[in-house]
Amino acid sequence: MKVISSKDNPTYKEIKKILTSSSYRKKTGLTIAIGKKIVDDIVTSTLSTDVKYIVLTDEKNAQLYEDFNPILLSPKLAKTLDDVMADQGIMAVIEKHYTSLETLPDRGPFLVLDGVSDPINVGTLIRTAVGLQYKAILVGEGTADPLSPKVIRSSAGYSLFIPIFKGRNKEIFKALKERTIKIITTYIHQENCKPTFNMKLDDFALCLGSEGRGLSDIWKEYPDTLNLLLKSSTIDSFNVAVAGSILMYILKTGGELCG
């Protein structure tokens, strides 16, 4: 079994680049999943995730992953890469690419992320979307990379198990419009509004923007857009992961909304 015992090792350098450089991940299509449960879910999944190799700090576990090119990393070096890696002693280097917008399904539901920059929020939203059987994630400008190690970790690995489409907002908008997908936008409302309907939809795209600036103007251009107003007289924004997860659940299962 291959052993990494020095920072000068080419594989160590590759792992370091994958963890720290978004441009390198984009160039190579490589990313990293860290932690035993996430790695075990990946290697036992029937979904198409291409594991290049698995890095371990304990040689006794190597036989469990012998089909995935195990590599032994010294515990001392593991601490220089990632705290979770140092604690749990396992990571998987994976090849995973974004899906072309041209192959977007004709029907939703979809989750659109526009400027959601916090990796933890992005991971939480993706995990909820997978749990509620949304068909895909559409990622616009300014959103944290859903295939980064941080988002993979915060999504509990589920960002690897759902199609992710990435593009400019206008490209995503065009793809949804061509498929006549119902676009649902979200805004906070500080004045009185009343619950007007119970909603359960199958074919829609829920669009969530940044907590600071909200959604981009392009989402207001669609004539059939449904605007949901989230009422609060005390704050000017909700946490996007909390509010978005609640909305995803309501839209998929039915529930009372203020709009």
Side-chain angles (χ1 to χ4, degrees):
M1 181 171 60
K2 184 177 179 180
V3 177
I4 301 175
S5 56
S6 166
K7 290 183 179 181
D8 294 325
N9 184 286
T11 304
Y12 175 89
K13 291 180 178 180
E14 177 180 66
I15 293 169
K16 191 75 172 179
K17 280 186 178 180
I18 297 170
L19 287 171
T20 59
S21 172
S22 59
S23 61
Y24 186 77
R25 291 195 301 271
K26 182 178 179 180
K27 176 183 175 181
T28 61
L30 296 176
T31 189
I32 287 176
I34 303 173
K36 180 169 174 50
K37 185 180 185 305
I38 293 177
V39 172
D40 286 349
D41 286 345
I42 291 169
V43 300
T44 58
S45 171
T46 58
L47 299 174
S48 56
T49 301
D50 187 2
V51 178
K52 293 301 184 182
Y53 53 89
I54 286 179
V55 182
L56 304 162
T57 58
D58 190 340
E59 189 174 3
K60 291 184 295 184
N61 296 323
Q63 62 180 1
L64 300 174
Y65 307 98
E66 58 185 0
D67 294 332
F68 300 95
N69 303 316
I71 296 173
L72 187 63
L73 175 71
S74 73
K76 183 178 179 179
L77 283 180
K79 291 180 180 179
T80 68
L81 291 173
D82 183 270
D83 290 341
V84 176
M85 176 61 187
D87 178 53
Q88 298 193 27
I90 184 169
M91 66 169 60
V93 175
I94 302 155
E95 184 172 355
K96 178 74 173 179
H97 298 274
Y98 291 106
T99 308
S100 169
L101 274 171
E102 296 177 357
T103 64
L104 184 70
D106 290 331
R107 293 182 61 83
F110 306 122
L111 176 65
V112 180
L113 302 179
D114 170 19
V116 182
S117 59
D118 186 286
I120 294 176
N121 285 337
V122 172
T124 300
L125 288 164
I126 291 175
R127 184 176 182 177
T128 302
V130 173
L132 292 172
Q133 298 182 329
Y134 278 57
K135 289 188 178 177
I137 310 296
L138 286 73
V139 180
E141 297 140 79
T143 295
D145 180 4
L147 298 181
S148 71
K150 287 184 179 179
V151 174
I152 290 172
R153 182 184 302 172
S154 62
S155 73
Y158 288 110
S159 61
L160 299 170
F161 299 137
I162 187 170
I164 298 177
F165 300 81
K166 189 174 184 179
R168 299 180 65 82
N169 286 330
K170 63 181 181 180
E171 296 168 340
I172 295 172
F173 179 83
K174 179 182 177 183
L176 294 172
K177 188 175 180 181
E178 288 174 347
R179 290 160 178 79
T180 63
I181 302 293
K182 168 73 80 174
I183 293 177
I184 299 177
T185 58
T186 50
Y187 302 92
I188 196 164
H189 193 63
Q190 294 182 314
E191 300 177 4
N192 290 331
C193 58
K194 60 182 181 179
T196 56
F197 50 80
N198 291 322
M199 178 180 290
K200 181 180 179 182
L201 298 174
D202 295 314
D203 189 21
F204 63 89
L206 174 63
C207 303
L208 302 174
S210 75
E211 295 174 17
R213 64 168 176 79
L215 286 165
S216 301
D217 290 340
I218 191 170
W219 300 108
K220 302 174 184 177
E221 298 177 9
Y222 197 56
D224 197 31
T225 296
L226 175 62
N227 299 316
L228 299 182
L229 306 178
L230 308 179
K231 181 183 176 182
S232 175
S233 60
T234 56
I235 60 174
D236 58 9
S237 70
F238 288 107
N239 175 268
V240 66
V242 174
S245 294
I246 293 170
L247 287 172
M248 277 192 281
Y249 180 84
I250 291 173
L251 291 168
K252 192 72 164 49
T253 64
E256 190 176 76
L257 293 175
C258 185

